[in-house]
Amino acid sequence: MARRVFGQLIYLDPQTEFMAVKLSTWPDFLIHSYSVDMLAAVTTIRDALAESATGSRKLVHFL
């Protein structure tokens, strides 16, 4: 995972073949509660997509 100030994020999970990129910005340099919420959201999306995949079929979603 790569994080920048103001909330930009690149999250990679090779095990589930999941990648998320967040380009939007926060109103302040670093907001801890936003970081916690953002990571929770990304991992929840990752987990939901991993659960919906069946067999060797890969699902591609654009959010």
Side-chain angles (χ1 to χ4, degrees):
M1 178 172 63
R3 292 183 348 173
R4 297 289 298 167
V5 297
F6 296 105
Q8 294 83 15
L9 167 85
I10 300 172
Y11 180 94
L12 301 169
D13 183 350
Q15 184 176 1
T16 58
E17 297 183 357
F18 175 79
M19 179 178 75
V21 177
K22 179 184 170 291
L23 300 175
S24 61
T25 61
W26 297 338
D28 202 358
F29 183 75
L30 178 62
I31 304 172
H32 179 71
S33 63
Y34 282 26
S35 294
V36 172
D37 290 345
M38 179 179 55
L39 187 55
V42 168
T43 57
T44 298
I45 293 167
R46 178 206 60 201
D47 294 346
L49 292 174
E51 287 177 14
S52 68
T54 58
S56 62
R57 185 181 73 180
K58 292 182 182 179
L59 300 178
V60 178
H61 295 266
F62 296 94
L63 301 175

